[in-house]
Amino acid sequence: MQIGIVGLGRMGANIARRLMRGGQTCVVYDHAPEATQAVVADGATGATDLGDLVKKLAAPRSVWLMLPAGKITEDSLNDLYEILEAGDTIIDGGNSFYKDDIVHAAKLKEKGIHFVDVGTSGGVWGLERGYCMMIGGEKDVVQRHDPILSVLAPGRGDIPATPNREGRDTRVENGYMHVGPVGAGHFVKMVHNGIEYGLMQAYAEGFDILKHKSSTDLPEAQRYDLDIADVAEVWRRGSVVSSWLLDLTAGALAGNSTLDKYSAEVADSGEGRWTIEAALEEAVPAQVLSAALYARFRSREENSFADRMLSAMRFGFGGHKEFSPGLK
Amino acid sequence: MQIGIVGLGRMGANIARRLMRGGQTCVVYDHAPEATQAVVADGATGATDLGDLVKKLAAPRSVWLMLPAGKITEDSLNDLYEILEAGDTIIDGGNSFYKDDIVHAAKLKEKGIHFVDVGTSGGVWGLERGYCMMIGGEKDVVQRHDPILSVLAPGRGDIPATPNREGRDTRVENGYMHVGPVGAGHFVKMVHNGIEYGLMQAYAEGFDILKHKSSTDLPEAQRYDLDIADVAEVWRRGSVVSSWLLDLTAGALAGNSTLDKYSAEVADSGEGRWTIEAALEEAVPAQVLSAALYARFRSREENSFADRMLSAMRFGFGGHKEFSPGLK
Amino acid sequence: MQIGIVGLGRMGANIARRLMRGGQTCVVYDHAPEATQAVVADGATGATDLGDLVKKLAAPRSVWLMLPAGKITEDSLNDLYEILEAGDTIIDGGNSFYKDDIVHAAKLKEKGIHFVDVGTSGGVWGLERGYCMMIGGEKDVVQRHDPILSVLAPGRGDIPATPNREGRDTRVENGYMHVGPVGAGHFVKMVHNGIEYGLMQAYAEGFDILKHKSSTDLPEAQRYDLDIADVAEVWRRGSVVSSWLLDLTAGALAGNSTLDKYSAEVADSGEGRWTIEAALEEAVPAQVLSAALYARFRSREENSFADRMLSAMRFGFGGHKEFSPGLK
Amino acid sequence: MQIGIVGLGRMGANIARRLMRGGQTCVVYDHAPEATQAVVADGATGATDLGDLVKKLAAPRSVWLMLPAGKITEDSLNDLYEILEAGDTIIDGGNSFYKDDIVHAAKLKEKGIHFVDVGTSGGVWGLERGYCMMIGGEKDVVQRHDPILSVLAPGRGDIPATPNREGRDTRVENGYMHVGPVGAGHFVKMVHNGIEYGLMQAYAEGFDILKHKSSTDLPEAQRYDLDIADVAEVWRRGSVVSSWLLDLTAGALAGNSTLDKYSAEVADSGEGRWTIEAALEEAVPAQVLSAALYARFRSREENSFADRMLSAMRFGFGGHKEFSPGLK
C-alpha cells in the first residue's frame, strides 16, 4: 500500500522505514530537506512540499502526519484540507488532543476527507520492535489501512498469550487496536502517557529512597550503601516490578550509576496534563497521576514563590530566620 | 506559684515573662548566661545551673523545660532525675515525641517524680496573646499547676463563644485543655502542627497559582497581573479562608510583595513527620498532610536523583535529549 | 442606588437584604414567586419576570445575577442581552468560570452593555458580616457601583490592620477589591475556593488522625480517647491553626461530636476543578489542592473500579483472596 | 545442599518444591500437618515440630523461615535460638521489618548463629519462574548458601542482557543479589513493594479514567465506550507501559472485564508503610508512593470521619444540606 508521511523526526522517519521494510511504499516530506533526503536514501520517494507529496500519491490518498501537536499539526491539516480530495484520508499519528481531533474530522468531512487518529507508542525502539497503536476513526476507513497498520504493529512476538481471549479481535494481540470513533485513539494514548508518568515517578521515588539510605544525614548505623544499578538489574528477573521502564532504568544505571549526566529538569508533554483534565471532568480521584505530573513541574522550578511564602509564614509566626542568602 | 524554667529561647523567655506579668514567680536557667540575665532583668531569679535552679525552688518543685526536642531535652531530664525528689514535677513544654514522653514519665515515676507534657502553640505572639496549651498527665498534677497554666493561656478574649458548649470544661474556652494521660498533650500538638503544614501549603499553592497567572509563559490574553498583597488582605474580611496564617501572610506581602527576602528552603520539625507516622499506624489516608510535608522536603533539594532518573528514562525510551548542562 | 437582583437563593436574598439595610433600593426577581415574595416582604420591589424587572429599573440600569453557574446564568445573560440597553450593566455575582466571563462581556459589549464579575464569599453569614468581594471589570464601571459594593462589604470591623499598607487602596481593607479586568474577579474567587478545599481537607485529615487514635485496631497502650470537640475549641485560642473554618468545625462538633448527622459524600463545585485546570495551564505543582479535590471525588464513590483493579492484580500475582463478598 | 523450611504457605511450599526440583534436599515443617504432608508428598522430609526439624538437619544447619512478619516470625526465631547451635544459620525469607533483622541477628550472634535476610519476590509464579531475591548478611554466609539461592533464582532466561554490565557480579543477572549487611535485603525488598504499590495505583487510576469515559454523567458527545480488556492487551505489545503487572491486569480483565468478582477493599502489608517511614527518615518526597498507600487505606473505609467533617464545614459555612440519609 502507498502512503504519504509528513514529519520525519525520530518517530516519523522510523515509521517510514518500518513500512518500507514491510513492503509498503512511502512518499515522504519534512520541512527540513536533509530529513527528507535521509529517508529517501532508505527507499522512499521524496517530496518538496505538501502539494508535491499529494501529487505523488494515487487516489484515494492516505497521508500520515507525524508532527508536534498544536500549531504545526493544525497548519498542515489546513493545507491538506485545501489540496486533498473526497475519499482521501488523513491519519494523525502524533500526540494531538483528542477533542481537537473531533473538530478536525468534522472540518475534513465537509470535503469528504476521512480522518483517523492513531496514538503511537514505541519511541526510538519502534523501528525494530514495532509500534503499539491505539486507533480512532470510522470502521471501514481503519480497515482499509490494515496493510499499513499491521506492518507497523509489533505483532505477537514471543510475548505469552493472555488466557481467555479466544474469539476476540486478533489485531489487539498483534499490538494495534481500533478503540472507537474519531478521538478515541488519542484519548487512550493520552491516558497511556498519564499512566507512564505515574509508573516513572514510582520508580524514581523508590530508587531515591534507596539512594538516600547512604546519606550522611542518617546516623551511621542506619545507612546502607546500595549498588543501585545492580538493584535495578536484579528486579528485572522474576520480580513483580519488572517492566520495560525498569529495563531502560537498569540500562541507564549500568552506564552511569550516579545518573549525573542526566538533567534533573523533566519536561512534560500535553498528554500528562490532559489526562488530569479528563480525570477532573470524570471526577476520578487521580492522586498518583497528578502527583507524578506535579513532580515534573516542580523539577523545573527553583526558588518557588510557594516555598518563599512558607518561609514568610514561618518567620511571621515563629520568628524562624528564613531569609534568602543575600538578605540574611 | 513558683516555677523553674529551663531554656530561655524565643519561647521559654516569653513564657517566663508572661508568668511574671501574671503574678507568678520564676527561677530561670539557660546554658547561655546572657539569656538568663535578660529574663532576670525582667524580674526572674537566675540560676547558674540545674542544681542551682533546683536549690532555689521550694518543694514540691515544678520545673518547666522549654528545650529543643531530642538529645537536649533528654539530657536535662536525666540530670533532673538525679537531683529532683519525690513529689516534684517536670513539665515538658517543648515539642517532644509523645512516645518518648511515656518512657520519660515511667522513668521519673521510679523516683516519685511527676511528668506533664504540654504542647504549646503561640510562637513569638504568645507573650501578648497567650499560649494555646494541650496538656497530658495525671489529673491532680495538672490541676495543681492551674495557676501557671491559666496565666499562660490566652483566656476568652473577644473571640465569640461556640454555641452548645454549656457544661463543658471551661479551661478549654480559655485556651488550655487537659487532653489525656502522659503523651496525649504532645500527641495533639503534633497533629496540630501537621494540620498547620497542610494549611500553609494550601495557601502557598493558591497564591502560587495567582502569581503565575501573570507569567509570560501564558498567552497574553490569558494573563492577569494581580496584586497578591491586596488579595491576601481582602480575604481577611468576610471570606471563608480567613485565618491567623492568612493574617501573617498578608503582613509579609504588604512589606515585601515579591517575598524575595525570604528563603525558599523550608525547614520541617519532627512533628510534621510524626503526624504522618501516626497516620500510617492508624491507616488514615493523609494525602494532604503528607503532600504538604513532602513539599518542604522538596524545597530543600536541588537536582534530585529522582528527577535525574526521570530524565534518564525519557532519554532511554524516547531519545529525548535530557542531559545536564555540563554534558550536553 | 437602585439595583436589580436576579436569583434569590441563600446568597441572593441576603444580598438584597443587606443592600436594603444599607439604604439601597432593590428590584428583585426569582423564578420561584415565593422566593421573590419573601424579599418583597423585607422591602424590595418584586418583579414577575426579567422584562418586568428591567422595566422597573431606571437607566442606566444595573442587574446583579446571583444564579448557579452554567446554563441558568447563561440563559439569563442571553435574555438580558435582548432587553437591556447601551449603558446598562450586568454584574455576575455567582460562581461562573472566568473564561466564560470574557465571552459574555464581549457579547454584551456589542450592544454597549457593561459586564462586571464579582466573586462573592460570605455564605450564610454574609447578611450579618458582609461579603468579601473580588471584582473584575472596567475601572469606571466598578467605581460607579461603589455605593452597592461598599454596603455589601464587611468593612474594617474589629479586624486588626495589617502593617505597611499605608497608601494602598482602602477598599481592600473594607473587604472588596477591584482585582483586574473582566474575569479577574471570578479567577481570584476560583483560587480562593481551591484554597478553601485544601484548608478543609487539612483539618479533616488531622481530626481523623485524632479520632482514630482511640481505634481498637491500635494496641491498647497506644490509644488515647480524645475529646475532639474540645480540641477544636482549644485551638481557636492563641493557636496558629485558628481560622474561621476551625470556628465552624468547633461549632459542628459541640453540637454533634461524632458528626454522625452529616453526610460523608462531599460535593464539589466547579471552582475546585477549575483551580486545578489553572494550575495545569501554569505548570504550578498543586499537590495539596488536587489531593483535597480528589478526596471529595473519592468520598462519593463506593466499590471503585480502580480499587477492584488493585485487588485483581493482588490476586493475579500473589494469590491473595480478594473477592467481592458475593463471590468469595 | 540440605535445608530446613519452616512455613509452608503459598510461598514456602513452592520454595521447597523448586529447591527439590533443583536437586536440593528439604526438611519441612508447618504448624498445619496437612501443609507439611503436601510437601512431603512432593519429596521432602517432614518434621513434626521445630525440634524435630533441627534434629533431622546435619550441622552446620540452615533453616529458611517463610512466615508472616511480626509475632509468628519472632516466636520461631526465639525457639530456634534455643535449639540451634553455633555455626548454624537462620534465613528469614519473609517480609520482616529490616530494623527487626538487625535486632534478631545481634541476639543470634550471641550464640554464634548466623542470620541472613532474604527479600523474596515471585508470588504464585515463583515455582515456575523462580524468585527474585534481595539478600542481606555476612558475605561468606551468603556465599555458602549459593547452591540454594542459585536454584531458587529465575536465572537469565530469555530476558535480554543489559549493556555495560561486563565485570559485574553475575548473580545479579541470574536474579539474586547480595545487597549488603543484615537488614539490607529486607530494606530493598521493602522499597520494591513500595514501588509496586505506586505502579499498581498508576494503572488503576489510568484504567479508571478509561472506564469513566463511558459514564452517563458525561454529556453523550464526550463519551467513548472502550473495551478495557483489549486496551490492557494492546499495551502489552510495544508500549512503554508494558510490564508484568500489566500482563496480570490483562489476564484479569480478559476473564472478567468488569472486575466485579474482585473486592474493592485492598489490603496493605507492612512494607508499603515502612517504605513511607523510610522516606520520612530520609526526607525524600515520596508523593506517589504515599498516595498509592493512602488509596488502599481509603478503599477499606466507608463513611469516614474526615468526609463527615467536610460536610459539616460546608453546612456550617454555606448552609449546604449535607446530612446523612437517616437524618435529612
Side-chain angles (χ1 to χ4, degrees), chain A residues 240 273 276-277 279-287 290-291 293-295 297-298 300-301 317, chain C residues 240 273 276-277 279-287 290-291 293-295 297-298 300-301 317:
Chain A
V240 71
R273 303 189 192 194
I276 306 308
E277 284 183 11
L280 295 174
E281 283 176 6
E282 301 175 8
V284 169
Q287 298 275 17
S290 297
L293 177 63
Y294 293 146
F297 290 173
R298 188 64 187 76
R300 305 191 306 254
E301 270 199 307
F317 180 69
Chain C
V240 72
R273 303 189 191 192
I276 306 309
E277 284 182 12
L280 295 175
E281 282 176 7
E282 302 175 6
V284 168
Q287 299 274 16
S290 297
L293 177 64
Y294 293 146
F297 290 173
R298 189 62 187 73
R300 306 191 305 254
E301 271 200 307
F317 180 69

